[in-house]
Coordinates of all heavy atoms in Angstrom, one line a residue:
S1 N 76.5 -38.5 -225.9 CA 75.8 -39.0 -227.1 C 76.6 -40.2 -227.6 O 77.8 -40.2 -227.6 CB 75.8 -37.9 -228.1 OG 77.1 -37.5 -228.6
W2 N 75.9 -41.1 -228.1 CA 76.5 -42.4 -228.7 C 76.9 -42.2 -230.1 O 76.2 -41.6 -230.9 CB 75.5 -43.5 -228.6 CG 75.2 -43.9 -227.1 CD1 74.1 -43.5 -226.4 CD2 76.0 -44.7 -226.3 NE1 74.2 -44.1 -225.2 CE2 75.3 -44.8 -225.0 CE3 77.2 -45.4 -226.5 CZ2 75.8 -45.5 -224.0 CZ3 77.7 -46.1 -225.4 CH2 77.0 -46.2 -224.2
V3 N 78.1 -42.7 -230.4 CA 78.6 -42.6 -231.8 C 79.0 -44.0 -232.2 O 79.7 -44.7 -231.5 CB 79.9 -41.7 -231.8 CG1 80.5 -41.7 -233.2 CG2 79.6 -40.3 -231.3
D4 N 78.6 -44.4 -233.5 CA 79.0 -45.7 -234.0 C 80.5 -45.7 -234.2 O 81.0 -44.8 -234.8 CB 78.3 -45.9 -235.4 CG 76.8 -46.3 -235.3 OD1 76.3 -46.2 -234.1 OD2 76.2 -46.6 -236.3
I5 N 81.1 -46.8 -233.8 CA 82.5 -47.0 -234.1 C 82.8 -48.3 -234.8 O 83.9 -48.5 -235.3 CB 83.4 -46.9 -232.8 CG1 83.0 -47.9 -231.8 CG2 83.3 -45.5 -232.2 CD1 83.9 -48.0 -230.6
G6 N 81.8 -49.1 -235.0 CA 82.0 -50.4 -235.7 C 80.7 -51.1 -235.9 O 79.8 -51.1 -235.1
K7 N 80.6 -51.8 -237.0 CA 79.4 -52.7 -237.3 C 80.0 -54.0 -237.8 O 80.9 -54.1 -238.5 CB 78.5 -52.1 -238.4 CG 77.8 -50.8 -238.0 CD 76.8 -50.3 -239.0 CE 76.2 -49.1 -238.4 NZ 75.1 -48.6 -239.3
Y8 N 79.4 -55.1 -237.2 CA 79.9 -56.4 -237.5 C 78.8 -57.4 -237.9 O 77.7 -57.5 -237.2 CB 80.5 -57.0 -236.2 CG 81.5 -56.0 -235.6 CD1 81.0 -55.1 -234.6 CD2 82.8 -55.8 -236.0 CE1 81.9 -54.1 -234.0 CE2 83.6 -54.9 -235.5 CZ 83.2 -54.0 -234.5 OH 84.0 -53.1 -234.0
K9 N 79.0 -58.0 -239.1 CA 78.0 -59.0 -239.6 C 78.3 -60.3 -238.9 O 79.4 -60.9 -239.0 CB 78.2 -59.1 -241.1 CG 77.3 -60.1 -241.8 CD 77.6 -60.1 -243.3 CE 76.9 -61.3 -243.9 NZ 77.3 -61.4 -245.3
I10 N 77.2 -60.8 -238.3 CA 77.3 -62.1 -237.6 C 76.4 -63.1 -238.3 O 75.3 -62.8 -238.5 CB 76.8 -61.9 -236.1 CG1 77.5 -60.8 -235.4 CG2 76.9 -63.2 -235.3 CD1 79.0 -60.9 -235.3
T11 N 77.0 -64.2 -238.6 CA 76.2 -65.3 -239.3 C 76.2 -66.5 -238.5 O 77.3 -67.0 -238.0 CB 76.8 -65.6 -240.7 OG1 76.9 -64.3 -241.4 CG2 76.0 -66.5 -241.5
N12 N 75.0 -67.1 -238.3 CA 75.0 -68.4 -237.5 C 75.1 -69.6 -238.5 O 75.2 -69.4 -239.7 CB 73.8 -68.5 -236.6 CG 72.5 -68.6 -237.4 OD1 72.4 -68.9 -238.5 ND2 71.4 -68.3 -236.7
S13 N 75.1 -70.8 -237.9 CA 75.3 -72.0 -238.8 C 74.1 -72.2 -239.7 O 74.3 -73.0 -240.7 CB 75.6 -73.2 -237.9 OG 74.5 -73.4 -237.0
D14 N 73.0 -71.6 -239.5 CA 71.9 -71.7 -240.4 C 71.9 -70.7 -241.5 O 71.0 -70.6 -242.3 CB 70.5 -71.6 -239.6 CG 70.3 -72.7 -238.7 OD1 70.8 -73.9 -239.0 OD2 69.7 -72.5 -237.6
G15 N 72.9 -69.8 -241.5 CA 73.0 -68.8 -242.5 C 72.3 -67.5 -242.2 O 72.2 -66.6 -243.0
E16 N 71.6 -67.4 -241.0 CA 70.9 -66.2 -240.6 C 71.9 -65.1 -240.2 O 72.9 -65.4 -239.5 CB 70.0 -66.5 -239.4 CG 68.9 -67.5 -239.8 CD 68.2 -68.0 -238.5 OE1 68.7 -67.9 -237.4 OE2 67.1 -68.5 -238.7
V17 N 71.7 -63.9 -240.7 CA 72.6 -62.8 -240.5 C 72.0 -61.7 -239.6 O 70.8 -61.5 -239.7 CB 72.9 -62.2 -241.9 CG1 73.8 -60.9 -241.7 CG2 73.6 -63.2 -242.8
E18 N 72.8 -61.2 -238.7 CA 72.4 -60.1 -237.9 C 73.6 -59.1 -237.8 O 74.8 -59.6 -237.9 CB 72.1 -60.6 -236.5 CG 71.5 -59.5 -235.6 CD 70.9 -60.1 -234.3 OE1 70.7 -61.3 -234.2 OE2 70.7 -59.3 -233.4
I19 N 73.3 -57.9 -237.6 CA 74.4 -56.9 -237.5 C 74.5 -56.4 -236.1 O 73.5 -56.1 -235.5 CB 74.1 -55.6 -238.4 CG1 73.9 -56.0 -239.9 CG2 75.2 -54.6 -238.3 CD1 75.1 -56.6 -240.5
L20 N 75.7 -56.5 -235.5 CA 76.0 -56.0 -234.2 C 76.7 -54.6 -234.4 O 77.5 -54.5 -235.2 CB 76.9 -56.9 -233.4 CG 76.3 -58.3 -233.0 CD1 77.3 -59.1 -232.2 CD2 75.0 -58.1 -232.2
I21 N 76.3 -53.7 -233.6 CA 76.8 -52.3 -233.7 C 77.5 -52.0 -232.4 O 77.0 -52.2 -231.3 CB 75.6 -51.3 -233.9 CG1 74.9 -51.7 -235.1 CG2 76.2 -49.9 -233.9 CD1 73.5 -51.1 -235.2
L22 N 78.8 -51.5 -232.5 CA 79.5 -51.1 -231.4 C 79.5 -49.5 -231.4 O 79.9 -48.9 -232.4 CB 81.0 -51.6 -231.5 CG 81.9 -51.2 -230.3 CD1 81.4 -51.8 -229.0 CD2 83.3 -51.7 -230.6
E23 N 79.2 -49.0 -230.2 CA 79.1 -47.5 -230.1 C 79.9 -47.1 -228.9 O 80.2 -47.9 -228.0 CB 77.7 -47.1 -229.9 CG 76.7 -47.4 -231.0 CD 75.3 -47.1 -230.7 OE1 74.9 -47.2 -229.6 OE2 74.6 -46.7 -231.7
R24 N 80.3 -45.8 -228.9 CA 80.9 -45.2 -227.7 C 80.2 -43.9 -227.3 O 79.9 -43.1 -228.2 CB 82.4 -44.9 -228.0 CG 83.1 -44.4 -226.8 CD 84.5 -44.8 -226.7 NE 85.1 -44.7 -225.4 CZ 86.3 -44.4 -225.1 NH1 87.1 -44.2 -226.1 NH2 86.7 -44.2 -223.9
N25 N 80.1 -43.8 -226.0 CA 79.5 -42.6 -225.5 C 80.6 -41.6 -225.3 O 81.5 -41.8 -224.4 CB 78.7 -42.9 -224.2 CG 78.0 -41.7 -223.7 OD1 78.6 -40.6 -223.5 ND2 76.7 -41.8 -223.4
K26 N 80.6 -40.5 -226.0 CA 81.7 -39.5 -225.9 C 81.7 -38.8 -224.6 O 82.8 -38.4 -224.2 CB 81.6 -38.5 -227.1 CG 81.8 -39.1 -228.5 CD 83.2 -39.7 -228.5 CE 83.5 -40.3 -229.9 NZ 84.8 -40.9 -230.0
G27 N 80.6 -38.8 -223.9 CA 80.5 -38.1 -222.6 C 81.1 -39.0 -221.5 O 82.0 -38.5 -220.7
S28 N 80.6 -40.2 -221.4 CA 81.0 -41.1 -220.3 C 82.2 -42.0 -220.6 O 82.9 -42.5 -219.7 CB 79.8 -42.0 -219.9 OG 79.6 -42.9 -220.9
G29 N 82.5 -42.2 -221.9 CA 83.5 -43.1 -222.3 C 83.1 -44.5 -222.4 O 83.8 -45.4 -222.7
D30 N 81.8 -44.8 -222.0 CA 81.3 -46.2 -222.0 C 81.2 -46.7 -223.5 O 81.1 -45.9 -224.4 CB 79.9 -46.3 -221.4 CG 80.0 -46.2 -219.8 OD1 81.1 -46.3 -219.3 OD2 78.9 -45.9 -219.2
F31 N 81.1 -48.0 -223.6 CA 80.9 -48.7 -224.9 C 79.5 -49.4 -224.8 O 79.1 -49.8 -223.8 CB 82.0 -49.7 -225.2 CG 83.3 -49.0 -225.4 CD1 84.2 -48.7 -224.4 CD2 83.7 -48.8 -226.8 CE1 85.4 -48.1 -224.7 CE2 84.9 -48.2 -227.0 CZ 85.8 -47.9 -226.0
R32 N 78.9 -49.4 -226.0 CA 77.6 -50.1 -226.0 C 77.6 -51.1 -227.2 O 78.0 -50.7 -228.3 CB 76.5 -49.1 -226.2 CG 75.1 -49.7 -226.3 CD 74.0 -48.7 -226.1 NE 73.9 -47.8 -227.2 CZ 73.1 -46.7 -227.2 NH1 72.2 -46.6 -226.2 NH2 73.1 -45.9 -228.2
L33 N 77.2 -52.3 -227.0 CA 77.1 -53.3 -228.1 C 75.6 -53.6 -228.2 O 75.0 -53.9 -227.2 CB 77.9 -54.6 -227.7 CG 78.0 -55.6 -228.8 CD1 78.7 -55.1 -230.1 CD2 78.7 -56.8 -228.2
K34 N 75.1 -53.4 -229.4 CA 73.6 -53.7 -229.6 C 73.4 -54.3 -230.9 O 74.3 -54.2 -231.8 CB 72.8 -52.4 -229.4 CG 73.1 -51.4 -230.5 CD 72.2 -50.1 -230.3 CE 72.3 -49.2 -231.5 NZ 71.4 -48.1 -231.4
N35 N 72.3 -55.0 -231.0 CA 71.9 -55.6 -232.3 C 71.2 -54.5 -233.1 O 70.8 -53.5 -232.6 CB 71.2 -56.9 -232.2 CG 69.8 -56.7 -231.6 OD1 69.4 -55.7 -231.1 ND2 69.0 -57.8 -231.7
E36 N 71.1 -54.8 -234.4 CA 70.5 -53.9 -235.3 C 69.0 -53.6 -235.0 O 68.5 -52.6 -235.4 CB 70.6 -54.3 -236.8 CG 69.9 -55.6 -237.1 CD 70.2 -56.2 -238.4 OE1 70.2 -55.5 -239.4 OE2 70.5 -57.4 -238.5
F37 N 68.3 -54.5 -234.3 CA 66.9 -54.3 -234.0 C 66.7 -53.5 -232.7 O 65.6 -53.0 -232.5 CB 66.2 -55.7 -233.9 CG 66.5 -56.6 -235.0 CD1 67.3 -57.7 -234.9 CD2 65.9 -56.3 -236.3 CE1 67.5 -58.6 -236.0 CE2 66.2 -57.1 -237.4 CZ 67.0 -58.3 -237.2
G38 N 67.8 -53.3 -232.0 CA 67.7 -52.5 -230.7 C 67.1 -53.3 -229.6 O 66.9 -52.7 -228.5
N39 N 66.8 -54.6 -229.7 CA 66.2 -55.3 -228.6 C 67.3 -56.0 -227.7 O 67.0 -56.5 -226.6 CB 65.2 -56.4 -229.1 CG 65.8 -57.4 -230.0 OD1 66.9 -57.2 -230.5 ND2 65.2 -58.5 -230.1
I40 N 68.6 -55.9 -228.1 CA 69.7 -56.4 -227.2 C 70.7 -55.2 -227.1 O 71.1 -54.6 -228.1 CB 70.4 -57.6 -227.8 CG1 69.4 -58.8 -227.9 CG2 71.6 -58.0 -227.0 CD1 69.9 -60.0 -228.6
E41 N 71.0 -54.9 -225.9 CA 71.9 -53.8 -225.7 C 72.7 -54.0 -224.4 O 72.2 -54.3 -223.4 CB 71.1 -52.5 -225.5 CG 71.9 -51.2 -225.3 CD 71.0 -50.0 -225.3 OE1 70.3 -49.7 -226.2 OE2 70.9 -49.4 -224.2
I42 N 74.1 -53.9 -224.5 CA 75.0 -54.2 -223.4 C 75.9 -53.0 -223.3 O 76.6 -52.6 -224.3 CB 75.8 -55.4 -223.6 CG1 74.9 -56.7 -223.8 CG2 76.8 -55.7 -222.4 CD1 75.6 -57.9 -224.3
V43 N 75.9 -52.3 -222.2 CA 76.7 -51.1 -221.9 C 77.8 -51.5 -221.0 O 77.6 -52.2 -219.9 CB 75.9 -50.0 -221.3 CG1 76.8 -48.8 -221.1 CG2 74.8 -49.6 -222.3
M44 N 79.1 -51.2 -221.3 CA 80.3 -51.5 -220.5 C 81.2 -50.4 -220.4 O 81.3 -49.6 -221.4 CB 81.0 -52.7 -221.1 CG 80.2 -54.0 -221.2 SD 81.0 -55.2 -222.3 CE 80.2 -54.7 -223.9
D45 N 82.0 -50.3 -219.3 CA 83.1 -49.4 -219.3 C 84.3 -49.9 -220.1 O 84.2 -51.1 -220.6 CB 83.5 -49.1 -217.8 CG 84.0 -50.2 -217.0 OD1 84.4 -51.3 -217.7 OD2 84.1 -50.1 -215.8
A46 N 85.3 -49.1 -220.3 CA 86.4 -49.5 -221.1 C 87.1 -50.7 -220.6 O 87.5 -51.6 -221.4 CB 87.4 -48.3 -221.2
V47 N 87.4 -50.8 -219.3 CA 88.1 -52.0 -218.8 C 87.3 -53.3 -219.0 O 87.8 -54.3 -219.5 CB 88.4 -51.8 -217.3 CG1 89.0 -53.1 -216.7 CG2 89.4 -50.7 -217.1
S48 N 86.0 -53.2 -218.8 CA 85.1 -54.4 -219.0 C 85.1 -54.9 -220.4 O 85.1 -56.1 -220.7 CB 83.7 -54.1 -218.5 OG 83.6 -53.8 -217.2
I49 N 85.0 -53.9 -221.4 CA 84.9 -54.4 -222.8 C 86.3 -54.9 -223.2 O 86.3 -55.9 -224.0 CB 84.4 -53.3 -223.7 CG1 84.0 -53.9 -225.1 CG2 85.5 -52.2 -223.9 CD1 83.2 -53.0 -225.9
L50 N 87.4 -54.4 -222.7 CA 88.7 -55.0 -223.0 C 88.8 -56.4 -222.5 O 89.3 -57.3 -223.2 CB 89.8 -54.1 -222.5 CG 90.2 -52.9 -223.3 CD1 91.2 -52.0 -222.5 CD2 90.8 -53.3 -224.6
E51 N 88.4 -56.6 -221.3 CA 88.4 -58.0 -220.7 C 87.5 -58.9 -221.4 O 87.9 -60.1 -221.7 CB 88.0 -57.9 -219.2 CG 89.1 -57.3 -218.3 CD 88.7 -57.2 -216.9 OE1 87.6 -57.7 -216.5 OE2 89.4 -56.6 -216.1
L52 N 86.3 -58.4 -221.8 CA 85.4 -59.3 -222.6 C 86.0 -59.7 -223.9 O 86.0 -60.9 -224.2 CB 84.1 -58.5 -222.8 CG 83.0 -59.2 -223.7 CD1 82.5 -60.4 -222.9 CD2 81.9 -58.3 -224.1
V53 N 86.5 -58.8 -224.7 CA 87.0 -59.1 -226.0 C 88.2 -60.0 -225.8 O 88.4 -61.0 -226.6 CB 87.4 -57.8 -226.7 CG1 88.2 -58.1 -228.0 CG2 86.2 -57.0 -227.0
R54 N 89.1 -59.8 -224.9 CA 90.3 -60.6 -224.7 C 89.8 -62.0 -224.3 O 90.3 -63.0 -224.8 CB 91.2 -60.0 -223.6 CG 92.5 -60.8 -223.4 CD 93.4 -60.2 -222.3 NE 93.6 -58.8 -222.4 CZ 93.2 -57.9 -221.5 NH1 92.7 -58.3 -220.4 NH2 93.4 -56.6 -221.7
N55 N 88.9 -62.1 -223.4 CA 88.5 -63.5 -222.9 C 87.7 -64.2 -224.0 O 87.9 -65.4 -224.2 CB 87.6 -63.3 -221.7 CG 88.4 -63.0 -220.4 OD1 89.5 -63.4 -220.3 ND2 87.7 -62.3 -219.5
I56 N 86.9 -63.5 -224.8 CA 86.2 -64.2 -225.9 C 87.2 -64.7 -226.9 O 87.1 -65.8 -227.4 CB 85.2 -63.2 -226.5 CG1 83.9 -63.1 -225.6 CG2 84.7 -63.8 -227.9 CD1 82.9 -62.1 -226.1
S57 N 88.2 -63.8 -227.2 CA 89.2 -64.2 -228.2 C 90.0 -65.4 -227.7 O 90.2 -66.4 -228.5 CB 90.1 -63.0 -228.4 OG 91.2 -63.4 -229.3
D58 N 90.4 -65.5 -226.5 CA 91.1 -66.6 -225.9 C 90.3 -67.9 -226.0 O 90.8 -68.9 -226.4 CB 91.5 -66.3 -224.5 CG 92.7 -65.3 -224.4 OD1 93.3 -64.9 -225.4 OD2 92.9 -64.8 -223.3
H59 N 89.0 -67.8 -225.5 CA 88.2 -69.0 -225.5 C 87.9 -69.5 -226.9 O 87.9 -70.7 -227.1 CB 86.9 -68.7 -224.8 CG 87.1 -68.5 -223.3 ND1 86.4 -67.5 -222.6 CD2 87.8 -69.1 -222.4 CE1 86.8 -67.5 -221.3 NE2 87.7 -68.5 -221.2
V60 N 87.6 -68.6 -227.8 CA 87.3 -69.1 -229.2 C 88.5 -69.7 -229.8 O 88.4 -70.7 -230.5 CB 86.7 -67.9 -230.1 CG1 86.7 -68.2 -231.5 CG2 85.4 -67.4 -229.6
R61 N 89.7 -69.1 -229.6 CA 90.9 -69.6 -230.2 C 91.2 -71.0 -229.6 O 91.5 -71.9 -230.3 CB 92.1 -68.7 -229.8 CG 93.4 -69.1 -230.5 CD 94.6 -68.2 -230.1 NE 94.3 -66.8 -230.3 CZ 94.2 -65.9 -229.3 NH1 94.3 -66.3 -228.1 NH2 94.0 -64.7 -229.6
D62 N 91.0 -71.2 -228.3 CA 91.2 -72.5 -227.7 C 90.3 -73.5 -228.2 O 90.7 -74.7 -228.5 CB 91.0 -72.4 -226.1 CG 92.1 -71.6 -225.4 OD1 93.2 -71.4 -226.0 OD2 91.9 -71.3 -224.2
E63 N 89.0 -73.2 -228.4 CA 88.0 -74.1 -229.0 C 88.4 -74.5 -230.4 O 88.3 -75.7 -230.8 CB 86.6 -73.5 -228.9 CG 86.0 -73.4 -227.6 CD 85.8 -74.8 -227.0 OE1 85.2 -75.7 -227.7 OE2 86.1 -75.0 -225.8
I64 N 88.8 -73.5 -231.2 CA 89.1 -73.8 -232.6 C 90.4 -74.7 -232.7 O 90.5 -75.6 -233.5 CB 89.3 -72.5 -233.4 CG1 87.9 -71.9 -233.6 CG2 89.9 -72.8 -234.8 CD1 87.8 -70.5 -234.2
E65 N 91.4 -74.4 -231.8 CA 92.6 -75.2 -231.8 C 92.3 -76.6 -231.4 O 92.9 -77.5 -231.9 CB 93.6 -74.5 -230.8 CG 94.3 -73.3 -231.4 CD 95.2 -72.6 -230.4 OE1 95.3 -73.0 -229.3 OE2 95.8 -71.6 -230.8
D66 N 91.4 -76.8 -230.4 CA 91.0 -78.1 -230.0 C 90.3 -78.9 -231.2 O 90.6 -80.1 -231.4 CB 90.0 -78.1 -228.9 CG 90.6 -77.7 -227.5 OD1 91.9 -77.7 -227.5 OD2 89.9 -77.4 -226.6
D67 N 89.5 -78.2 -232.0 CA 88.9 -78.8 -233.2 C 89.9 -79.2 -234.2 O 89.9 -80.3 -234.7 CB 87.9 -77.8 -233.8 CG 86.6 -77.5 -233.0 OD1 86.4 -78.2 -232.0 OD2 85.9 -76.5 -233.3
I68 N 90.9 -78.3 -234.4 CA 91.9 -78.6 -235.4 C 92.8 -79.8 -234.9 O 93.1 -80.7 -235.7 CB 92.8 -77.4 -235.6 CG1 92.0 -76.3 -236.4 CG2 94.1 -77.7 -236.4 CD1 92.7 -75.0 -236.5
N69 N 93.1 -79.8 -233.6 CA 93.9 -80.9 -233.1 C 93.1 -82.2 -233.2 O 93.7 -83.3 -233.5 CB 94.3 -80.6 -231.6 CG 95.4 -79.6 -231.5 OD1 96.1 -79.4 -232.4 ND2 95.4 -78.9 -230.4
T70 N 91.8 -82.2 -233.0 CA 91.0 -83.4 -233.1 C 91.1 -83.9 -234.6 O 91.2 -85.1 -234.8 CB 89.6 -83.1 -232.7 OG1 89.5 -82.7 -231.3 CG2 88.7 -84.4 -232.9
I71 N 91.0 -83.0 -235.5 CA 91.1 -83.4 -236.9 C 92.5 -84.0 -237.2 O 92.6 -85.1 -237.8 CB 90.8 -82.2 -237.9 CG1 89.4 -81.8 -237.7 CG2 91.2 -82.6 -239.3 CD1 89.0 -80.5 -238.4
F72 N 93.5 -83.4 -236.8 CA 94.9 -83.9 -237.0 C 95.1 -85.3 -236.3 O 95.7 -86.2 -236.9 CB 96.0 -82.9 -236.5 CG 96.2 -81.8 -237.5 CD1 96.4 -80.5 -237.0 CD2 96.2 -82.0 -238.8 CE1 96.6 -79.4 -237.8 CE2 96.4 -80.9 -239.7 CZ 96.6 -79.6 -239.2
D73 N 94.5 -85.4 -235.1 CA 94.6 -86.7 -234.4 C 93.9 -87.8 -235.2 O 94.4 -88.9 -235.2 CB 94.0 -86.6 -233.0 CG 94.9 -85.8 -232.0 OD1 96.1 -85.5 -232.4 OD2 94.4 -85.4 -231.0
F74 N 92.8 -87.5 -235.8 CA 92.1 -88.4 -236.6 C 92.9 -88.9 -237.7 O 93.0 -90.1 -238.0 CB 90.8 -87.8 -237.1 CG 90.0 -88.7 -238.1 CD1 89.3 -89.8 -237.6 CD2 90.1 -88.5 -239.4 CE1 88.6 -90.6 -238.5 CE2 89.4 -89.3 -240.3 CZ 88.7 -90.4 -239.9
F75 N 93.5 -88.0 -238.4 CA 94.4 -88.4 -239.6 C 95.7 -89.1 -239.1 O 96.1 -90.0 -239.8 CB 94.7 -87.2 -240.4 CG 93.6 -86.7 -241.3 CD1 92.9 -85.5 -241.1 CD2 93.0 -87.5 -242.3 CE1 91.9 -85.1 -241.8 CE2 91.9 -87.1 -243.0 CZ 91.4 -85.9 -242.8
D76 N 96.2 -88.7 -238.0 CA 97.4 -89.4 -237.5 C 97.0 -90.8 -237.1 O 97.8 -91.8 -237.4 CB 97.9 -88.7 -236.2 CG 98.7 -87.4 -236.6 OD1 99.0 -87.2 -237.8 OD2 98.9 -86.6 -235.6
D77 N 95.8 -91.1 -236.5 CA 95.4 -92.4 -236.2 C 95.2 -93.2 -237.5 O 95.6 -94.4 -237.5 CB 94.1 -92.4 -235.4 CG 94.3 -91.9 -234.0 OD1 95.4 -91.8 -233.5 OD2 93.2 -91.5 -233.4
D78 N 94.7 -92.6 -238.6 CA 94.5 -93.3 -239.8 C 95.9 -93.7 -240.4 O 96.0 -94.8 -240.9 CB 93.8 -92.4 -240.8 CG 92.3 -92.5 -240.7 OD1 91.8 -93.3 -239.9 OD2 91.6 -91.8 -241.5
D79 N 96.9 -92.8 -240.3 CA 98.2 -93.1 -240.9 C 98.9 -94.3 -240.1 O 99.5 -95.1 -240.7 CB 99.1 -91.9 -240.8 CG 98.7 -90.8 -241.8 OD1 97.9 -91.1 -242.7 OD2 99.1 -89.7 -241.6
S80 N 98.7 -94.3 -238.8 CA 99.3 -95.3 -238.0 C 98.7 -96.7 -238.3 O 99.4 -97.7 -238.3 CB 99.3 -95.0 -236.5 OG 98.0 -94.9 -236.0
E81 N 97.4 -96.7 -238.5 CA 96.8 -98.0 -238.9 C 97.3 -98.5 -240.2 O 97.5 -99.7 -240.4 CB 95.3 -97.8 -238.9 CG 94.6 -97.6 -237.5 CD 93.1 -97.4 -237.6 OE1 92.5 -97.6 -238.6 OE2 92.6 -96.9 -236.6
T82 N 97.5 -97.6 -241.2 CA 98.0 -98.0 -242.5 C 99.4 -98.5 -242.4 O 99.7 -99.5 -243.1 CB 97.9 -96.8 -243.5 OG1 96.6 -96.3 -243.4 CG2 98.3 -97.2 -244.9
E83 N 100.2 -97.9 -241.6 CA 101.6 -98.3 -241.5 C 101.7 -99.7 -240.9 O 102.7 -100.4 -241.2 CB 102.4 -97.3 -240.7 CG 102.5 -95.9 -241.4 CD 103.1 -94.9 -240.5 OE1 103.5 -95.2 -239.3 OE2 103.1 -93.7 -240.9
E84 N 100.8 -100.1 -240.0 CA 100.9 -101.3 -239.3 C 100.5 -102.5 -240.2 O 100.9 -103.6 -240.0 CB 100.0 -101.3 -238.0 CG 100.5 -100.4 -237.0 CD 99.6 -100.3 -235.8 OE1 98.6 -101.0 -235.8 OE2 99.8 -99.4 -234.9
D85 N 99.7 -102.2 -241.2 CA 99.2 -103.3 -242.1 C 100.2 -103.9 -243.0 O 101.2 -103.6 -243.4 CB 98.0 -102.8 -243.0 CG 96.8 -102.4 -242.1 OD1 96.7 -103.0 -241.0 OD2 96.0 -101.7 -242.6

C-alpha cells in the first residue's frame, strides 16, 4: 500500500502551481512521484530515486552557479571599464 511521505508545491515561471506527491510502498519499498491530478506517475526503487535526486540537485546547482557567475562577470566587466576611463 502506498503512503504519502511528502508533498511539494512546484511553481513555474508563469506562476502556475502544481503539487507533486512523493509516496512509498510499504510492501515493496518502491517510491512513487506523482502529480496531484494523477496523470503523471513515476515509480522507482530506492537506489534509483537516490540517484535521481542527487543528479537533479547537482545539475540545478551547477546551472544556478553558472547564472550567478555570469552576473558577477557582467559587473566585473563594468568595473574594469570604469577604472580604465
Side-chain angles (χ1 to χ4, degrees):
S1 68
W2 292 99
V3 177
D4 285 6
I5 59 173
K7 292 186 180 187
Y8 312 95
K9 178 181 169 184
I10 308 299
T11 306
N12 69 17
S13 59
D14 293 330
E16 297 168 338
V17 176
E18 187 169 343
I19 303 297
L20 294 181
I21 302 162
L22 181 61
E23 301 175 322
R24 184 148 197 213
N25 185 306
K26 293 300 181 183
S28 68
D30 285 345
F31 290 85
R32 177 167 68 183
L33 186 62
K34 66 179 188 175
N35 68 348
E36 64 190 312
F37 308 111
N39 62 338
I40 297 174
E41 184 176 296
I42 303 168
V43 177
M44 296 167 269
D45 65 16
V47 172
S48 294
I49 196 163
L50 280 173
E51 289 178 4
L52 175 69
V53 170
R54 185 180 311 119
N55 287 330
I56 287 174
S57 177
D58 289 347
H59 291 137
V60 169
R61 185 181 313 109
D62 290 347
E63 288 293 316
I64 291 171
E65 286 175 358
D66 288 347
D67 292 346
I68 291 169
N69 288 333
T70 300
I71 291 168
F72 284 139
D73 288 347
F74 173 79
F75 285 114
D76 286 345
D77 289 345
D78 276 358
D79 290 345
S80 64
E81 290 175 15
T82 305
E83 292 171 5
E84 293 173 5
D85 293 337

